[in-house]
Amino acid sequence: MEDEAFTDINGKAISLDCQSHSGLCREFTVSSPKVSVGKVMVYTCCVWLLAYTVFFFTENTAVLSSAILITLLGMMLHIHFVKVDHESLLVIGSLGIQVSSSYASGRETTKFIEMSKIKDIVINEAIYMHQIIYYLCVLLKDPSEPDAVSSVVPLFQSSKPRLNCLVKVYKSCQEILSKC
Amino acid sequence: MVLKIFFPQCCNRADSGLLVGRWISGHDSAVVLAVIHYPFIPGQVKQYVQQMQAKSGVELSVLGSWSLPKEGQEGMESFLRDLSTIFPQQRWLQIHREIGKTGFTCEVLNRDQNGRVVQQETKKKSKKVEEEDGEAGGDKEEQEEEEEEEKVIFVHYEQRKVMLSQLHPIQNGVPDPKTDPPSELRQMFQTVATSQPLFFMDRYDDGPLKSTHWQSEGREASIIVELLKQASVPLCLLISWLLSIWTWICNIRIFSLYPLRWLSSKLSTCVQLSYKTEHMRTLSSAKPAAGHTQFMRKANILVSFLVDVALGMLLISWLYRDNHIAMLANTLVPAADHVAKELDELLQWLMGAPAGLKMNRALDQVLGRFFLYHIHLWISYIHLMSPFIEGILWYGGLSACLGLTFALSLLSDMVALLTFHIYCFYVYGARLYCLKIYGLSSLWRLFRGKKWNVLRQRVDSCSYDLDQLFIGTLLFTVLLFLLPTTALYYLVFTLLRLVVVLFQGVLHLSVDFINSFPLFAVGLRIFRPYRLAEGVKFRVLCEEPGTALHLLMEINPLKFSTVVQMYRTPTYSCYPKDSWAALVKKLFVGELIYPWRHKTIKTE
Amino acid sequence: MGQRRRAVTNPSSRRVSGAPADVARVPSRKHNICMVSDFFYPNMGGVESHIYQLSQCLIEKGHKVVIVTHAYGRRKGVRYLTNGLKVYYLPLQVMYNQSTATTCFHSLPLLRCVFVRERITVVHAHSSFSAMGHDALFHAKTMGLNTVFTDHSLFGFADVSSVLTNKLLTVSLCDTNHIVCVSYTSKENTVLRAALDPKIVSVIPNAVDPTDFTPDPSQRLDDRITIVVISRLVYRKGIDLLGGIIPELCLKHPDLHFLIGGEGPKRIVLEEVREKYQLHDRVRLLGALEHKDVRGVLVQGHIFLNTSLTEAFCMAIVEGASCGLQVVSTRVGGIPEVLPNDLITLCEPTVRSLCAGLEAVIAQHRSGSVPSPASVHARVRSLYTWRNVAERTEKVYDRVSGEEVLPLDRRLRRLRAYCGPVAGTIFALFAVLDFLLLLFLQWLVPDRVMDVAMDATGPHGLWRPGPSSKVSGTKRAAEKDSSS
Amino acid sequence: MSVVRVMGPDSAPGPAVPWRKVLWERQPFPDNYVDQRFLEELRRNEGIRQYRYWAVVKEAGFVGQQLSCVAIFITLWLYMEQGLLSPERLLLTSLVCALLGYGLHQALTSQMESGCELRTRLADLQSATIFLSFTFGFSPVLKTLTESVSTDTVYAMSAVMLLAHLVSFPYAHPSTPGSLSLNAALFASVCLASRLPGALHTFAMLSCALLVFAMWPCLLQRLRENAPSQFTGLCVGVCIGGVGGLGSQSPGGAVLLALALGSVTLLCPLLLVMLQRHKDNIQGPWDEAEIHEDISHFLH
């Protein structure tokens, strides 16, 4: 349970929280900063100003109401589908790995991968937008031939931590994996 | 190795007794299914376990002992250990729970070959570990102890949900050799699901043994279900008999003559009919559904069929109330007339200089007259059959009692018939246009002194003779100048055609939707989310120091999207079979487009 | 590329070029080198193998090497090859035969990312056909890195297209620190094209692994004389000449057979010739050849024929000679410099002359006065080795890394001075824009935010061979995820 | 030896052995050594041909005459449009011209004995009939073809097409007129002809066009091969005829045409000859060798 100053690939501050429930079970939670009020304000203002300009030319109040609707709807959709509040990785030795990400609206999506399916956890490089980043991912076994990788499950996808953070998680994951 | 114990939540507060369950081979994890309380006679327990095993086909066994000491009864340690000798097992679990605490502690007694009991302490409190030859050497105590503490994981699960839930992706019956051994969770789920008979012994009947496990809600519901099952059998038989007759009628030779078959393949009503027949056949098969998918499929079909019929009934009730039918009929003929008139005007407009376009007058006149004649024919045809339309509608309306889909497809057929003239126009226009386009393209190649090489599939340069060039150029010029006229006609009629096709497409889509939407599965997902499990998720229960790790296993329900695309009953899809770009290209080069789906693109 | 890997750790080739001794004597600094080119594996050809072999040898010498190329189909992302050679397949749009479309700018973000995170000191671009290479040179200068350019191809001055390309080359080479050419002819050509000071142009020939191309006379059939041709079947390789030669010789010598490996648009010519003269049994068209199959084809022949119309440095003839074949080739480009006269018969690029040359060699064969394949191989094997190439290239890097990079203003002045008023001004403008873009990117994603890449190679490389290691695990993952 | 073996750039030059332009032996020179024999194989402007003014003018004359052919055609059309020339007369004249030309053509062909496959009279007759019949059959259609298209459009189209004809005309050996040029010309003539008052006019115009654009170049080619002196005279004659004809209708057009002819036949050659001096062409061993001999005879 310690906090260093970690940042994501764009230099925004994120916090990593390692909970060790027992020797076999650890939980890592990467939580990205909350939705900044200022940003919301800015977006809202932009939309509304636009709406007012339109309204100014076309005396039509529908424009304004629609603008309000749009902002509200947009905000809801954003916090429900886009904005991820924190992502957590629960590693249970000899049982499996559970990846869950919870959105700002409280919606939570969870995926549990059994240990028998997992081949390894590695740090990997990928080209993302206009940069090349490191990311942590779980390699899944191919049931047909054991030493091939059937697919890859990337971790901490929405909050993209930097290498130092990843290495921390990676090391302790490897500890548990090596135990059993 | 780490020992995983799947422990049913309902047994948390059970009084002390024996743990009945199963060791999952290969994963060294134990699934506790029930607790048999004191007092019991070991013989009866053994016998009971035997018969349960026989019933459920799970290798049940007595896993160990469960002690939740009430006040007064302390120090059962030795007694419990003796129990292990009564029920000879490879390993013997002793799970304690003190009243105050939430966590359990567990001892594992390993029995090696010569029957001596080897014990490993897993209590944190017990600082010293009495160790004979366990799998860990006795020399390095501390680190040994560290390891020992980690040994056991308790996974609490809700027995009922796990029993009823179906793990996805489904692998029914025989696990294919590639993926075996089936994963731990899958085995665990199977174990709980198959050991259903174990749970039918409930607390109140006075058997020799008292046990704690999930209690099935009272018998009555199940009795009713049984009765329904019994009743459904003769019904199924009846339906299947009727079906056989129907199919026999369908297979009379007259229907399999060429024009009829072709027609029936094009008429969406007939397609719908055969489709329904097929569904009924699947429904009315007397034998019970094998496997989950089969069952779901049947249920989906049944539900959607019922819904369909209900909607159809609604429609009928609307139609036959203060005769809407007559109204419809009276509106229909004038509508057709109106359409014809509109077309007439349109053609007149085209025969002038439409939108100031420069068209070749002679050709324009010819085409216009031709189409006008067609419309004339059409109108007379409509008027010929106007008296019968009401009757047709009346009987057609009856068909709605076979379901809304049926009525809809009938409607689409009617539309197709009523707009036949538009179709004709479209075909003429398209053919003419197509001809022109191809002629122009090949002549353009000649114009540039190239030619299409059929063998190499490419454009070669070639030297033509003078006369070839001359005639080619003449034709090219003629075609080029006549193109706008035909193109305009083609355009107009294609637009009309597209409107019709769009309408029919919408009808087909809705029909397909009603037929294929998995209502039952979705309902299940809404009201019993745990029934369709995508997987599981674990929560770490608040653990206090000194006990092993406690996890709560919850069921992770399937996503709606997955449910829909997994359980949607396969139909002939009537979605446009080629992409929009392809469609546009077809339109441009003047190939014909049809609303009806082709048999070849049946989507599974 | 299996057998190329073998070459890197091979005692014989080590013995040939006394590499270790020299390295011991001249302790040179270690560089972080970034090879940039549009052409790399899975694409096959001279440039590709050159880059691969050179990088391998440089890694062996303890430098850190990464390769940057564009994505080939589903092969995008980051891959690791033998000895931890790291390859970036950047998702850039391919325009015309495997060369990326260039706007001078859009490749900057990714290239900058690579340069920064790999801590590159020297950027080495290959092949003047590779737009990506030129972009890299441009951006490297903007970021203040030293650059080297290797030119693999010859260019005429006759037509409009070449005028344009030469102008572009002038621009992109005018502030490149050092240029490497593969032959003296190529050097002259490049110096003329890019108006360069010949002092900064080094000549370092290509090489072949003698171990891959060993003679095997037992494969030859003695009842016939086989002429082997291995090249892409395109106009520049003089396939039309070949189409003229085949009937002439086949009519004269009934025991003459042709073995033609390669694929291309001109295949149709050969097929027509074959059909017209009924030579299906004597002219075999093998189609495209894997690099590993080449030797198997070569050793079946007695004579290697090369009809190229232009070549900077023809590796094919060296490979042929290394397999112990008698080489007959056209006297074009750098070919006369490649092999000593007793190993090669040079002809004019005409059907008559080539036929005469082949006749002569055939006559020698009949009289049995040709040197034995083994002896030919023994002579060739010592001529061109990758280690030697690597050492000479290393020296280039040493020299380059000492030089200072022009600041923006002087760079602009230089551009104006070297590339003429019009092009110079335009590209000066481009340089400024590029610089501004760089500043913007640095504001957007500061260098400190970028993670420094783990060194798989170089002074303290982490590369541990074997599938168990995490690096290779990463590699496999990279392959998977790039495909997904 | 191993010192010599690896020479990076800027190593000290070794013993004074002469530098050789070979790669197979490792020489005691640095990699970036520049010998005085550097670029000695560079050659400039080799094989460049010197043009002589009048020769070029003579060649250019052909272009001029083609230009004026078009002018003549246009003149004829103008005449017909204003009804100054009746289609019957045009047909008659063109028929006579055709016969004369055909005779001359035959004479010239028989005169040259290198007779590559001669078309039989029958074939000629056949194609002639095809022309006439098709033109005659189509002329009513063609007549009504462009009536709804505005006149300017038609003019523009035909102008563009005639230009295309002039540009893409194979001046080198026009014995077989290139298909694009011929087609363009025919297209233009059809456009123009469809503007004429009657179907017969159209027919006449088209046949005339055939004469001018298809037959005439063949005859001219023969002339050029066999009787160069007359050829030049003919070109001059055609040019004068074109200018005069156009002059009779629109003097301005005539002037323009004259200017164009002058620039094409006199000015452009002058420029060519003048600019030759500034030619600077670099050749060397790096050039892509071009194949001089004709490979195609191996194929067909």
Side-chain angles (χ1 to χ4, degrees), chain D residues 155-231:
Chain D
Y155 287 168
M157 240 189 309
S158 35
V160 168
M161 282 299 168
L162 284 175
L163 210 60
H165 162 74
L166 281 178
V167 169
S168 67
F169 189 84
Y171 294 101
H173 32 71
S175 56
T176 59
S179 50
L180 178 53
S181 65
L182 179 61
N183 285 325
L186 284 178
F187 189 91
S189 47
V190 168
C191 289
L192 287 178
S194 67
R195 275 286 163 228
L196 291 177
L200 191 59
H201 294 72
T202 316
F203 174 58
M205 204 66 229
L206 276 183
S207 38
C208 168
L210 200 63
L211 214 60
V212 176
F213 293 118
M215 309 291 176
W216 175 242
C218 309
L219 180 61
L220 213 58
Q221 174 63 8
R222 286 263 175 270
L223 271 174
R224 181 153 76 163
E225 283 163 356
N226 305 343
S229 50
Q230 289 91 328
F231 172 74

Side-chain angles (χ1 to χ4, degrees), chain B residues 164-184:
Chain B
L164 292 177
S165 78
Q166 167 64 41
L167 206 56
H168 288 72
I170 301 158
Q171 50 173 227
N172 38 10
V174 47
D176 48 352
K178 270 210 238 94
T179 58
D180 65 346
S183 69
E184 188 174 2

Side-chain angles (χ1 to χ4, degrees), chain C residues 20 52 90 111 225 228 230 261 263 312 337 353 359 384 415 450:
Chain C
Y52 178 79
L90 303 183
L111 283 174
I225 292 181
V228 181
I230 291 181
E263 199 41 82
E337 311 169 25
S353 160
E359 295 266 3
Y384 304 106
L415 270 167
M450 287 189 198

